[in-house]
Amino acid sequence: MDKKKHRSLLKWLRSQNQLAKSWMMATVALAFTSGLLLLAQAALLANILHQLIMEQTPKSELISSFIGLAVIVCVRAFLSWAKEQTGYRAGEVIRLHIRKLILDKLHALGPATIHGKPAGSWASLILEQVEEMQDFFARYMPQMSLAVLLPFIILVAVFPINWAAGLIFLITAPLVPLFMALVGMGAADANRRNFKAMQRLSGHFYDRLRGLSTIRLLDHAEAETVQLRAASDDFRRRTMEVLRMAFLSSAVLEFFTAISIAITAVYFGFSFLGELDFGHYGVTITLFTAVFVLVLAPEFYQPLRDLGTYYHAKAQAIGAAESIVNFLNADPEGQSTGTQTTPLESVTIEAVDCEVVSPDGVVLAGPMTFRILPGQQTVLVGPSGAGKTSLMNAVLGFLPYRGSLKINGIELRDLSLAHWRSHISWVGQNPQLFHGTLRDNIVLANPEASDDEVKAVSKAAFADEFIQRLEKGDQHPVGDRASGISVGQAQRIAVARALLQNGSFWLLDEPTASLDANSEKLVLDSLKIATQGTTTLMISHRLDELHNADQVWVMENGQLVQQGKFSDLKEQGLLAEMYNSIDRSDLDA
């Protein structure tokens, strides 16, 4: 990672601090108070030892000192606990905010972007990588201040007693952060590579887990095992690389800290032996002075050692931030960011030279020019890969576009998508039902719906036909991916949900593609009633239903090659080829 990129990521991480500024200030204040009490603790301990050893003072006369020492130890323990709590809260506030930014961005980009990467990769980004930032905000950032404040107050306490010990502290202190920086230079890159390997492994594993039945049926388990082993081995090597960096950093810090404390101890040892006679202010070095300074020596370097330990957290956070910042900064061309609203009791859709593009800017369909009038029912047909779903995603606001695409005279990119989607009733070919009950899935469209309303839409969608046969009725549990009910039943629940939405624009994406004849007839009957008099755009594979449409669009290779009445189009062009290629007996039936 180049230095410019490294600095920009670190700047972004530090900019998040404002969200938890009060918690971080509390963390620093608690640790600083504990540091002041440390001076009192060292002084009491040194005084007790000096009185007992050098002055031969009876223990009974030092009871108040023992009590004071015990109280300070207890208070410092409480302050340490409180510091951990406030630090955790600081990290939690920022983690929740970053996770919300990611989810909001995903919501804005829509399904087209989400489906472009494996689900495991998104799970890694939202969960693991955000969690890796906890220690950076909870520990590293407060420790940056403490690494300066705590050594400073110890120097202020030591220099008036013995300037030689203070000078040793002052000279050796920079060695710790210096070597910490040298060792940690490659840590951010190692963590970045580790996170990318984890994303690959997560995506690979989750996708293969979902398709386990297909893999087994195709006898491809052995080949997938080899690929999974390779991905996991890459992740293992990246993880061990990070751990090597962490252990090397800790070893270097411990080495230089031990050397510094040893120099201080040697100085006092030779001073007591009479070999050294400097560092004092004309007063003999006492046991109190030596014990006081030696007790503080490890504590002087401890904030710097902690900073070195948490420096690994900084490297982790920078490595995790790269993918997050790149994702948050992604700005697909033509992506809707509008806030305008307009009355949508009736809907008119107009497009002029409209090109649907992917989030990466690749043209998926277009240019297209078309118009749907209020109450008009339009059916879109065409071969697989013609661009029908891309057009639908553009109308929903899930894909960006170039040119003009207006809803009631307002460009879709300027319209509030939440406002627009609240007026859309949508039924897809693969209905998504969520873990819960049948009723829970129906009322997603309107959580405030009454039981009578739920029963009415269930009846209108012919869903009550099977709901009544279930032991628990509409409280029948539904598992993940609609497990527990058939595809046809799930589709009727989706229609009931769309009916409860009661949108002024209906968007239907091959709603009967996976249904048996009986379920198909029931769903089509319910949709005909529901869409009567409303603006409707339906992607369909059923050519026998086209004569009921107000207009038919035929799409091929991303272009609208035919538009008009079915009776006018069925004798020429692509529609005629499609119409003549099917079994007429099926149509007559």
Side-chain angles (χ1 to χ4, degrees), residues 579-588:
Y579 186 69
N580 292 328
S581 66
I582 61 177
D583 189 346
R584 292 302 183 85
S585 63
D586 291 340
L587 295 179
D588 295 338

Side-chain angles (χ1 to χ4, degrees), residues 489-524:
Q489 291 170 340
Q491 194 71 314
R492 279 182 265 174
I493 293 297
V495 172
R497 184 164 60 196
L499 288 167
L500 193 61
Q501 178 81 10
N502 194 27
S504 49
F505 174 60
W506 280 71
L507 192 55
L508 310 173
D509 183 10
E510 300 198 40
T512 63
S514 304
L515 303 183
D516 58 76
N518 180 57
S519 296
E520 182 179 34
K521 182 179 183 306
L522 293 175
V523 168
L524 285 175

